[in-house]
Amino acid sequence: MRNNLSYLLRKPVSWLAAASPEDDIIISSRIRLARNLNNMPFPVTGEKTCLQNVCRLCLEALNRTEAIADPMEIDYLSLDSLEKQLLLERRLISREFVKDSVESAFVAEKDESVSIMINEEDHLRIQALSPGLHLPELWDKVNQIDDSLSGELDFAFDKKFGYLTASPSNLGTGMCASVMLHLPAMTLAGKMNSVIQGISKLGMSVRGFYGKSTLYTGSLYQISNQSSLGESEEQILFRLNALVRQIIRHEKEARSYFLSQKRDFILDHVGRAYGMLRYCYQISSNEALDSLSALRLGVDLGMFSSVDIEAVNHLFLLVQPAHLIYHAGKDLEKEGRNSERAQIIRETLKDLREKL
Amino acid sequence: MRNNLSYLLRKPVSWLAAASPEDDIIISSRIRLARNLNNMPFPVTGEKTCLQNVCRLCLEALNRTEAIADPMEIDYLSLDSLEKQLLLERRLISREFVKDSVESAFVAEKDESVSIMINEEDHLRIQALSPGLHLPELWDKVNQIDDSLSGELDFAFDKKFGYLTASPSNLGTGMCASVMLHLPAMTLAGKMNSVIQGISKLGMSVRGFYGKSTLYTGSLYQISNQSSLGESEEQILFRLNALVRQIIRHEKEARSYFLSQKRDFILDHVGRAYGMLRYCYQISSNEALDSLSALRLGVDLGMFSSVDIEAVNHLFLLVQPAHLIYHAGKDLEKEGRNSERAQIIRETLKDLREKL
């Protein structure tokens, strides 16, 4: 019954690919634009017919412009909550969109590199995702979609404030750029609290893997611009890029420190996580993410000879609830998910050959 | 400098061998006899010359009777504290004997099956150790030594009380018989508290691996007779044997229960311990014993295809401080011991092939 999205599980996720040399520290980058149609109420206040009208106008414009070259075949309104959860876990839609999406629509590239939500908080949320740190390329991509759509749609724009959005935090460029970093060594060294404080002072914000700003499961940190007003897109991206490069440098220093000064400590940290993941039969989501994080660090440190970092990256996705249920092909309660999660991890790591 | 005992590390320990079918639950048995020379003060009150005299008399009797067929070549008084610690870890001498042994002597079979302390709490402490549950055989062994020595020495004996000993708890037979059991399933099931209470009511006592009655590291339990008065040796041994057989039955039932009813839980418990032991780089003594205990359970449950339970048994010994220092060939502080311990475990388990 839930087979229309199951093909997603059989293909690699483009934004989890591993290619560039910084991939041991940067997981992915994302740029999202918020746009609204002129003289139309924002989704939160809009009436049903009005929002349906927004949907129609946006979808027609997307069709005419062919902004999405090879679209996924999904009728969003027909999806059940599990299917929506699957898209959320793949970062194609937002948590808010899962909860409240009556007069909404969703289109995305089949390769999951671009997705567009219609009637989320704003009429249009256009996002592009990529592996590694590729902010300029992502900006080109969303900017091109924005350009082609603005030839078809009348976007709400104010000469003084820029693009008008439902939330003041998106006013201006309407752009939110974020980079997901994997910072296990700085986390182990207890340096992340002061780093997060420093980032806030630069007008950037930090959230965890699940989008919360208090829980950094798996030593994963999403850094994004806090405000989109008063600076051009290029300026924001330039600052974010520079900040991320600086954090990468710190993380690399922390890794070198552990390898040279606390070798047994770091080998132990990675080894225990690896051993546990390889032979566990029940594991919670948070424990899995934290241990995969340690394993990923070990891969980066060259402690394993033939492991694909992409396989480990992919596990971050596969161990989440909706993915587990899809993988099992049946509904699973918490205990069943913990067993299924352990099984997927065991099987993925089975062929890994450690140099430990 | 500390090489005169290092040969001990290169040979298997007879009482850690695995042979009988109950060996998955019983580690070893031990019988110890306390004897004192007539008209001589107990060691705690004896003067130096008097205790030297006791030493001389006992050693001469041991020589003449050849009670120890193939003795270890050890001059006990010349041993340093590390060497004494090594003998303690091998259960050849007592903790008290390590601390306070000025006018003492020590003889033992080279295969470590029999050891005799002179001027411990009593003038003579004769003990025999074996793997598995072999109380009658052990009794034969110590009884034979006792018989031959009593032909040479005048033992303090009272017609009403039996053998006179320094501590009233040894009065009577002067015998303490104990069996070390590995009870991981009953421990996991939370049943050991009531079992220990039940054992106490039968006049038996329970201690842990380190001899304490509160800490049962590694799910190891030593059960022994609390008093040696009012019953014959045979009666005490019969009761202990029956009690142990009953506990074995309970442990087997608990294992069956876990395998049939909570399979993922028990596989997870064993798997995590195994994975951690195989890939850790630092591990404390207690964590090692607890994890080896889980691994030993896994071996017993058939979760590994080609592992020698003797190798796992042997690790219980090798991970202790003095053994680690001997293995490293140099003094080790706590952190160094934790690394050395992890290394020995990793190397021992390297060739293990799991069926998990």
Side-chain angles (χ1 to χ4, degrees), chain A residues 264 268 272 281 287 339, chain B residues 264 268 272 281-282 287 339:
Chain A
D264 269 6
D268 189 61
R272 281 171 182 248
Y281 275 75
E287 196 183 5
S339 294
Chain B
D264 269 7
D268 189 62
R272 281 171 182 248
Y281 275 74
Q282 290 176 329
E287 196 183 6
S339 295

Side-chain angles (χ1 to χ4, degrees), chain B residues 11-286:
Chain B
K11 70 179 192 57
V13 185
S14 62
W15 57 268
L16 281 175
S20 72
E22 267 88 21
D23 278 341
D24 47 354
I25 289 168
I26 299 178
I27 305 271
S28 59
S29 310
R30 188 184 70 116
I31 295 184
R32 183 265 296 151
L33 291 182
R35 293 290 181 264
N36 289 280
L37 305 193
N38 209 2
N39 299 319
M40 294 283 222
F42 292 127
V44 69
T45 54
E47 282 178 14
K48 189 174 170 176
T49 49
C50 179
L51 294 180
Q52 285 173 337
N53 212 16
V54 169
C55 260
R56 190 181 46 78
L57 288 170
C58 291
L59 287 173
E60 281 172 7
L62 281 165
N63 270 335
R64 272 198 304 276
T65 57
E66 293 181 351
I68 301 294
D70 183 19
M72 272 189 199
E73 283 156 27
I74 285 185
D75 173 13
Y76 188 73
L77 289 180
S78 75
L79 299 186
D80 63 19
S81 62
L82 180 73
E83 292 166 322
K84 289 180 181 175
Q85 182 67 31
L86 193 78
L87 296 180
L88 171 65
E89 290 174 3
R90 298 176 86 81
R91 306 180 69 209
L92 293 170
I93 61 174
S94 67
R95 205 167 293 274
E96 293 67 33
F97 203 57
V98 172
K99 270 186 258 167
D100 189 17
S101 47
V102 186
E103 307 307 330
S104 315
F106 165 80
V107 287
E109 290 284 2
K110 246 186 194 147
D111 70 1
E112 302 176 59
S113 62
V114 175
S115 75
I116 298 175
M117 292 178 282
I118 299 173
N119 286 334
E120 199 242 26
E121 188 183 276
D122 296 294
H123 293 150
L124 275 166
R125 286 277 174 112
I126 306 158
Q127 77 159 13
L129 273 163
S130 82
L133 182 63
H134 297 292
L135 295 173
E137 291 86 341
L138 287 176
W139 171 240
D140 280 349
K141 204 177 268 184
V142 291
N143 195 31
Q144 209 175 315
I145 297 173
D146 181 43
D147 280 352
S148 59
L149 287 178
S150 64
E152 300 278 336
L153 298 166
D154 181 17
F155 287 150
F157 185 83
D158 179 277
K159 274 186 185 161
K160 190 177 167 198
F161 292 118
Y163 289 100
L164 301 177
T165 53
S167 159
S169 66
N170 293 314
L171 203 62
T173 62
M175 183 188 78
C176 178
S178 76
V179 179
M180 194 183 311
L181 294 108
H182 181 227
L183 307 173
M186 288 221 281
T187 306
L188 277 176
K191 287 185 176 169
M192 281 312 296
N193 272 350
S194 64
V195 169
I196 289 168
Q197 280 176 9
I199 292 172
S200 307
K201 284 179 191 156
L202 296 170
M204 303 281 177
S205 70
V206 185
R207 289 170 303 133
F209 184 70
Y210 295 120
K212 289 176 187 159
S213 61
T214 47
L215 191 70
Y216 302 103
T217 314
S219 300
L220 293 168
Y221 301 83
Q222 295 188 58
I223 301 178
S224 58
N225 57 311
Q226 228 159 19
S227 141
S228 55
L229 193 64
E231 279 180 300
S232 71
E233 292 87 347
E234 286 79 2
Q235 280 172 319
I236 295 171
L237 295 176
F238 183 85
R239 286 208 300 124
L240 179 60
N241 194 70
L243 173 62
V244 166
R245 297 230 162 264
Q246 203 181 337
I247 296 173
I248 291 174
R249 217 162 40 239
H250 284 299
E251 171 68 16
K252 286 190 170 169
E253 278 168 17
R255 291 180 184 191
S256 300
Y257 164 76
F258 279 119
L259 267 187
S260 63
Q261 304 298 314
K262 298 202 164 189
R263 194 171 168 77
D264 269 7
F265 170 81
I266 203 74
L267 290 177
D268 189 62
H269 177 74
V270 173
R272 281 171 182 248
Y274 169 58
M276 192 270 282
L277 290 170
R278 232 187 114 163
Y279 298 108
C280 69
Y281 275 74
Q282 290 176 329
I283 187 165
S284 74
S285 176
N286 281 349

Side-chain angles (χ1 to χ4, degrees), chain A residues 14-162:
Chain A
S14 62
W15 57 267
L16 280 176
S20 71
E22 267 87 20
D23 279 340
D24 47 354
I25 289 168
I26 300 177
I27 306 272
S28 60
S29 311
R30 187 185 71 116
I31 295 183
R32 182 267 294 152
L33 292 181
R35 295 290 183 264
N36 289 280
L37 304 192
N38 209 2
N39 298 320
M40 294 283 222
F42 293 127
V44 69
T45 53
E47 284 178 11
K48 188 174 172 176
T49 50
C50 178
L51 294 179
Q52 286 175 335
N53 212 15
V54 169
C55 259
R56 189 180 48 76
L57 288 169
C58 291
L59 287 174
E60 282 172 6
L62 282 164
N63 271 335
R64 273 197 304 275
T65 57
E66 292 180 352
I68 300 294
D70 183 19
M72 272 187 200
E73 282 155 28
I74 287 185
D75 174 14
Y76 188 73
L77 290 181
S78 75
L79 299 187
D80 63 20
S81 62
L82 180 74
E83 291 166 322
K84 288 179 182 174
Q85 183 67 32
L86 191 79
L87 296 180
L88 171 66
E89 290 174 4
R90 297 177 85 81
R91 306 179 71 208
L92 293 170
I93 61 174
S94 67
R95 205 166 292 274
E96 292 69 31
F97 203 57
V98 171
K99 270 186 260 170
D100 189 18
S101 48
V102 186
E103 308 305 332
S104 315
F106 166 80
V107 287
E109 289 283 3
K110 246 186 195 148
D111 69 1
E112 303 177 59
S113 62
V114 175
S115 75
I116 298 174
M117 292 179 280
I118 299 172
N119 287 335
E120 199 244 24
E121 187 183 276
D122 296 292
H123 294 151
L124 275 165
R125 286 275 175 113
I126 305 158
Q127 79 159 13
L129 273 165
S130 83
L133 184 61
H134 296 293
L135 295 173
E137 291 86 341
L138 287 176
W139 170 240
D140 280 349
K141 204 178 266 183
V142 291
N143 195 30
Q144 209 176 317
I145 297 173
D146 181 43
D147 280 351
S148 60
L149 286 178
S150 64
E152 300 279 336
L153 297 166
D154 182 16
F155 286 151
F157 186 83
D158 179 277
K159 276 186 184 158
K160 191 178 166 196
F161 291 118

Side-chain angles (χ1 to χ4, degrees), chain A residues 120-350:
Chain A
E120 199 244 24
E121 187 183 276
D122 296 292
H123 294 151
L124 275 165
R125 286 275 175 113
I126 305 158
Q127 79 159 13
L129 273 165
S130 83
L133 184 61
H134 296 293
L135 295 173
E137 291 86 341
L138 287 176
W139 170 240
D140 280 349
K141 204 178 266 183
V142 291
N143 195 30
Q144 209 176 317
I145 297 173
D146 181 43
D147 280 351
S148 60
L149 286 178
S150 64
E152 300 279 336
L153 297 166
D154 182 16
F155 286 151
F157 186 83
D158 179 277
K159 276 186 184 158
K160 191 178 166 196
F161 291 118
Y163 290 101
L164 302 178
T165 54
S167 158
S169 66
N170 293 312
L171 203 63
T173 61
M175 183 186 79
C176 178
S178 77
V179 178
M180 195 184 309
L181 294 109
H182 181 227
L183 306 174
M186 288 221 281
T187 305
L188 277 175
K191 287 184 176 169
M192 282 312 296
N193 272 349
S194 64
V195 168
I196 289 169
Q197 281 175 8
I199 292 172
S200 306
K201 285 181 190 154
L202 296 170
M204 302 284 178
S205 70
V206 185
R207 289 169 304 134
F209 184 70
Y210 295 119
K212 288 175 188 158
S213 60
T214 47
L215 191 70
Y216 303 103
T217 315
S219 299
L220 293 168
Y221 300 84
Q222 297 188 58
I223 301 177
S224 58
N225 58 312
Q226 227 159 19
S227 141
S228 56
L229 192 65
E231 279 180 301
S232 71
E233 290 88 346
E234 286 80 2
Q235 281 172 319
I236 294 171
L237 294 176
F238 182 84
R239 285 206 304 124
L240 179 61
N241 193 69
L243 173 63
V244 166
R245 297 229 161 262
Q246 204 181 338
I247 296 172
I248 291 174
R249 217 161 39 237
H250 284 300
E251 171 68 16
K252 285 191 171 170
E253 279 168 17
R255 291 180 185 191
S256 299
Y257 164 77
F258 278 119
L259 266 187
S260 62
Q261 304 298 315
K262 298 203 164 189
R263 195 171 167 79
D264 269 6
F265 169 81
I266 202 74
L267 291 177
D268 189 61
H269 176 75
V270 172
R272 281 171 182 248
Y274 169 58
M276 191 270 282
L277 289 170
R278 232 186 114 164
Y279 299 108
C280 69
Y281 275 75
Q282 290 177 329
I283 188 166
S284 74
S285 176
N286 281 348
E287 196 183 5
L289 290 183
D290 280 335
S291 305
L292 286 169
S293 166
L295 176 57
R296 199 175 184 283
L297 174 64
V299 172
D300 301 342
L301 295 177
M303 291 161 69
F304 300 90
S305 60
S306 75
V307 74
D308 196 349
I309 199 160
E310 211 168 315
V312 179
N313 281 355
H314 211 68
L315 278 176
F316 279 95
L317 195 65
L318 293 181
V319 299
Q320 293 182 76
H323 278 79
L324 290 176
I325 291 171
Y326 261 88
H327 188 269
K330 61 181 181 195
D331 272 344
L332 294 171
E333 293 302 305
K334 193 179 175 187
E335 203 175 325
R337 289 203 303 272
N338 288 350
S339 294
E340 184 76 15
R341 183 180 292 117
Q343 195 196 325
I344 290 176
I345 294 173
R346 282 202 318 278
E347 281 175 10
T348 306
L349 300 186
K350 198 172 56 182

